[in-house]
């Protein structure tokens, strides 16, 4: 029979990688708590329209990458390709606008995108995601960038820098797009076929094209920053002033437009070397029109998401070890059938006392002690028939090999004090 394999673009997160994942998730939860973010969990699937509207028809995510299907009730369903649109749906549906502003929310979990798999790019990936709702001030943009920064700093990363841009707002972006279109039309014969389509369908994305032939046209393209309205310019200047004052490294990247339609004003990413073709480990920005677009009252928002797979790849690339997850400290070995029963009872008593313990399931006493060693136990408790008759067990320190006889009834207490 043919062997089953996991679907393309998915991963098994094996036990040896779990310490990295636990470490990243614990760090996210700690930093989120320190910044006053509350956790929200939204469904893994939503009505397709939430993403079609929220992320935007015409984006690669909506047009090419969504896992969409009709369920057995005939409803159009999509596995979430990101968190933001679903979190906004939940904000509106649960009347969260009545909460004191700003409302700060974070989430972690799987998202799904039918992308071409390559190093650091998956079809089932996991994100941590944070959003600040109801605050127009650039301080909210700053806080979102700082929380992303802090998570990476606390994980021990070095050599990271922000890529930053502004994408304007509905007042100034259409004017900029006209300049961009005119530039592209003047160089129509030099650009790739995809960009020829993009210029009508999703004009900002032409700046993002990786094709060699488009690079000179992109380099000479008009820049958003030269066409933003006074409000967007002031917003961007204030954010930059905070970043300058704090000494956070950033590069203004006029080509940074991001692949989702909802952005207004600030967009940013954090880039890192060493994780394959796709080098952004996190990305985000402001989306002041999104809640209204999804049927809520006008509410500004800003947020970011980071890929956990890429974060773990980067931890490894930068040789940052995950904290060691300790093995249960006690291993119970025994000799003979009668002793086995006492061993099982002791196992249950130790667990009731909150002491991590494992029991040998088979093998000679010698092989049981070898197992204790392999499993990283600090102590072996050895139960033999003679010892049972005397109501004692042998407690062996696995590192030193030192053994002492201890009354069976005192074992949990003795192990606790050790
Ligand atoms: P995004 O840039 O599409 O933004 O994704 C954020 C991060 O998810 C990326 O920087 C990357 O680390 C990771 N990621 C995305 N696609 C893949 C993939 N195929 N394989 C591995 N990792 C991937 C968003 O999702 C927005 N919702 C962020 C946001 C929140 N903006 C405002 N609030």
């Amino acid at each position: 029979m043919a062997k089953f394999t996991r679907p393309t673009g998915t991963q098994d997160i094996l036990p040896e990688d779990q310490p990295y994942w636990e470490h990243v998730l614990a760090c996210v939860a700690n930093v989120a708590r320190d910044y006053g973010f509350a956790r929200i969990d939204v469904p893994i699937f939503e009505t397709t329209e939430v993403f079609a509207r929220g992320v935007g028809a015409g984006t690669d995510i909506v047009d090419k990458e969504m896992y969409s299907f009709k369920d057995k009730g005939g409803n159009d369903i999509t596995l979430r390709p990101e968190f933001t649109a679903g979190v906004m749906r939940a904000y509106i549906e649960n009347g969260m606008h009545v909460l004191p502003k700003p409302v700060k929310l974070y989430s972690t979990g799987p998202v799904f995108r039918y992308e071409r798999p390559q190093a650091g790019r998956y079809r089932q990936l996991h994100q941590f995601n944070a959003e600040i709702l109801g605050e127009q001030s650039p301080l909210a943009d700053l806080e979102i960038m700082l929380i992303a920064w802090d998570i990476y700093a606390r994980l021990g990363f070095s050599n990271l820098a922000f890529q930053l841009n502004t994408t304007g707002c509905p007042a100034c972006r259409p004017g900029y797009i006209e300049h961009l279109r005119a530039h592209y039309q003047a160089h129509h014969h030099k650009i790739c076929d995809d960009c020829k389509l993009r210029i009508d369908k999703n004009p900002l994305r032409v700046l993002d094209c990786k094709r060699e032939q488009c690079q000179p046209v992109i380099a000479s393209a008009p820049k958003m920053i030269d066409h933003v309205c006074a409000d967007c310019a002031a917003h961007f200047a204030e954010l930059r002033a905070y970043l300058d004052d704090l000494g956070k490294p950033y590069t203004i990247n006029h080509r940074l437009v991001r692949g989702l339609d909802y952005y207004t004003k600030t967009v940013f990413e954090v880039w890192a070397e060493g994780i394959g073709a796709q080098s952004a480990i996190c990305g985000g920005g402001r989306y002041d029109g999104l809640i209204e677009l999804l049927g809520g009252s006008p509410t500004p928002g800003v947020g970011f998401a980071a890929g956990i797979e890429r974060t773990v790849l980067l931890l490894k690339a930068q040789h940052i070890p995950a904290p060691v997850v300790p093995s249960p400290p006690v291993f119970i070995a025994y000799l003979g059938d009668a002793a086995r029963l006492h061993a099982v009872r002791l196992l249950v008593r130790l667990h009731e006392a909150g002491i991590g313990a494992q029991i040998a399931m088979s093998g000679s006493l010698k092989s049981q002690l070898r197992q204790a060693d392999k499993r990283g136990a600090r102590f072996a408790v050895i139960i033999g028939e003679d010892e049972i008759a005397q109501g004692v067990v042998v407690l062996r320190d696995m590192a030193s090999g030192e053994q002492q006889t201890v009354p069976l009834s005192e074992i949990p207490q003795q192990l606790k004090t050790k």
Side-chain angles (χ1 to χ4, degrees):
M1 197 166 95
K3 275 193 192 157
F4 293 113
T5 55
R6 57 181 187 270
T8 304
T10 65
Q11 286 200 105
D12 299 313
I13 306 163
L14 297 174
E16 61 260 33
D17 268 347
Q18 294 292 342
Y20 286 99
W21 283 71
E22 275 178 32
H23 182 46
V24 172
L25 290 170
C27 184
V28 168
N30 285 336
V31 177
R33 194 195 45 227
D34 289 351
Y35 278 74
F37 282 68
R39 184 174 176 105
I40 183 167
D41 288 300
V42 292
I44 286 181
F45 57 85
E46 298 270 355
T47 309
T48 297
E49 193 58 15
V50 170
F51 302 114
R53 245 186 216 229
V55 175
T59 60
D60 280 355
I61 293 181
V62 171
D63 288 0
K64 301 182 196 159
E65 295 171 4
M66 295 207 304
Y67 281 87
S68 299
F69 56 96
K70 274 203 195 298
D71 69 9
K72 290 189 178 6
N75 306 298
D76 286 313
I77 296 293
T78 292
L79 301 185
R80 64 183 178 207
E82 59 124 36
F83 276 96
T84 311
V87 171
M88 298 311 117
R89 193 266 314 134
Y91 177 89
I92 300 164
E93 185 172 348
N94 294 289
M96 293 172 82
H97 62 279
V98 300
L99 297 174
K101 305 266 184 343
V103 179
K104 302 184 189 179
L105 302 170
Y106 86 99
S107 316
T108 62
V111 306
F112 304 86
R113 296 183 185 181
Y114 191 81
E115 289 202 73
R116 202 158 47 82
Q118 48 183 287
R121 188 184 285 173
Y122 307 100
R123 290 182 176 169
Q124 175 176 308
L125 60 132
H126 295 74
Q127 287 186 336
F128 52 89
N129 184 84
E131 315 284 1
I132 300 182
L133 300 166
E135 184 51 69
Q136 191 61 258
S137 163
L139 276 178
D141 310 41
L142 177 74
E143 186 166 70
I144 278 292
M145 293 176 77
L146 289 182
I147 188 174
W149 189 265
D150 237 11
I151 289 169
Y152 298 128
R154 289 198 207 178
L155 285 171
F157 287 130
S158 51
N159 299 332
L160 298 178
F162 288 117
Q163 300 280 317
L164 185 65
N165 196 14
T166 176
T167 55
C169 69
C172 53
R173 195 185 300 143
Y176 169 66
I177 286 174
E178 281 322 305
H179 285 287
L180 196 61
R181 262 207 191 104
H183 174 77
Y184 269 72
Q185 270 148 10
H187 297 91
H188 203 252
H189 54 291
K190 296 185 198 154
I191 59 176
C192 72
D193 289 344
D194 284 345
C195 281
K196 284 179 183 141
L197 292 176
R198 281 185 192 123
I199 196 67
D200 287 325
K201 215 171 146 195
N202 201 344
L204 287 179
R205 292 311 300 271
V206 294
L207 297 173
D208 209 18
C209 183
K210 305 287 181 301
R211 295 254 171 83
E212 198 55 45
Q213 76 181 98
C214 295
Q215 300 315 305
V217 185
I218 297 172
S220 58
K223 299 182 171 102
M224 184 75 225
I225 189 66
D226 298 329
H227 297 270
V228 288
C229 59
D231 180 35
C232 288
H235 190 97
F236 199 50
E238 187 176 334
L239 174 62
R240 289 186 57 184
Y242 294 132
L243 292 169
D244 290 337
D245 181 67
L246 295 170
K248 297 289 176 209
Y250 66 91
T251 304
I252 303 286
N253 180 347
H254 300 292
R255 300 180 52 169
L256 186 71
V257 288
R258 313 245 323 117
L260 305 97
D261 262 4
Y262 45 62
Y263 291 113
T264 51
K265 297 192 166 96
T266 314
V267 285
F268 74 95
E269 289 185 344
V270 175
W271 287 7
E273 299 283 332
I275 51 169
Q278 201 66 33
S279 57
I281 51 172
C282 93
R286 182 166 275 283
Y287 47 85
D288 290 344
L290 180 56
I291 292 193
E292 203 177 352
L293 191 71
L294 291 174
S297 47
T299 309
V302 55
F304 86 100
I308 301 182
E309 285 79 0
R310 289 187 192 174
T311 307
V312 168
L313 281 172
L314 197 61
L315 282 170
K316 292 180 179 175
Q318 295 202 357
H319 306 292
I320 301 170
V324 176
V325 179
S327 312
V330 181
F331 191 90
I332 306 173
Y334 48 85
L335 191 65
D337 290 343
R340 187 191 309 118
L341 200 56
H342 286 270
V344 173
R345 289 183 196 145
L346 179 62
L347 179 75
V348 172
R349 270 176 63 208
L350 291 182
H351 284 164
E352 282 170 356
I355 298 169
Q358 303 184 80
I359 190 169
M361 306 240 168
S362 60
S364 65
L365 185 58
K366 204 169 158 200
S367 85
Q368 293 181 29
L369 288 176
R370 266 202 308 272
Q371 284 180 49
D373 200 36
K374 281 195 186 137
R375 291 185 171 266
R378 282 184 57 209
F379 301 101
V381 176
I382 305 165
I383 310 182
E385 315 238 314
D386 291 350
E387 282 84 5
I388 297 168
Q390 296 163 33
V392 295
V393 295
V394 172
L395 184 61
R396 178 187 176 91
D397 184 310
M398 292 302 292
S400 65
E402 223 171 80
Q403 300 198 152
Q404 63 180 117
T405 304
V406 179
L408 181 58
S409 57
E410 288 175 19
I411 272 288
Q413 200 45 47
Q414 286 242 5
L415 284 168
K416 273 205 162 157
T417 48
K418 278 177 190 283

